[in-house]
Amino acid sequence: MSQNNQNETSLEKESRKTFAADTFSQETIGAKIESMRPGYCLASMQADEHHLNACGVLHGGALFTLADFASAVVANMDGQTALSVKVNVEYIKAGNKGLLTAESYETARKGRLILVDTAIRDSNGTLLASVKSTFCILKSDNPISAH
């Protein structure tokens, strides 16, 4: 077990357990949670040949899925169920195979809405996409892990 995992709070452990059930993100792109804390998540994926589009660059859907995964961890970390209702993706630079990271931060919370910004970078730190997501909390007493 890594040092990060040894120092996790019960909320972080529950978030990891909950998102282990996200088989779409894990099986489709291999998304993994690298680190998290309230309002923050760093997720990664290893982009391979099958993540490339017909033009030979990373498929936008793979980048979107990584961003959606990381931002959902942030929005659901308080134990409630929050689903994305609006996502804006700006693809900045074409990416290739290799390690990708998505770094998500909660930027605002008002009523039932949570705003999360995500930056997707390649292994050189080059920004590939900038993502702004709006989540809506469905019910505070209906945690995502109960579904």
Side-chain angles (χ1 to χ4, degrees):
M1 184 180 278
S2 74
Q3 184 66 28
N4 286 350
N5 287 346
Q6 291 175 1
N7 294 328
E8 282 182 339
T9 66
S10 61
L11 190 57
E12 291 165 339
K13 287 178 187 174
E14 186 61 31
S15 291
R16 282 188 188 277
K17 181 180 171 187
T18 297
F19 281 91
D22 185 347
T23 55
F24 179 81
S25 296
Q26 292 182 17
E27 293 175 9
T28 304
I29 65 162
K32 297 188 318 183
I33 298 170
E34 297 295 340
S35 64
M36 69 175 100
R37 61 182 180 270
Y40 173 82
C41 177
L42 176 66
S44 70
M45 69 173 276
Q46 182 64 42
D48 297 315
E49 192 73 31
H50 68 278
H51 296 113
L52 303 180
N53 64 20
C55 298
V57 297
L58 281 173
H59 193 288
L63 296 174
F64 172 85
T65 300
L66 181 60
D68 191 53
F69 178 76
S71 61
V73 171
V74 171
N76 286 280
M77 197 176 294
D78 288 337
Q80 76 273 335
T81 299
L83 300 176
S84 58
V85 294
K86 180 180 177 184
V87 180
N88 180 47
V89 182
E90 291 184 53
Y91 297 103
I92 297 165
K93 185 171 184 345
N96 290 299
K97 296 181 282 186
L99 181 67
L100 303 178
T101 58
E103 198 166 22
S104 294
Y105 293 92
E106 180 179 313
T107 58
R109 185 180 288 246
K110 177 77 172 165
R112 293 176 47 208
L113 297 179
I114 303 168
L115 305 181
V116 179
D117 286 355
T118 303
I120 301 177
R121 298 181 186 280
D122 65 15
S123 59
N124 295 320
T126 303
L127 183 64
L128 302 180
S130 177
V131 183
K132 293 189 176 295
S133 305
T134 303
F135 287 81
C136 182
I137 299 171
L138 298 182
K139 282 180 102 176
S140 294
D141 61 348
N142 186 18
I144 194 170
S145 60
H147 295 173

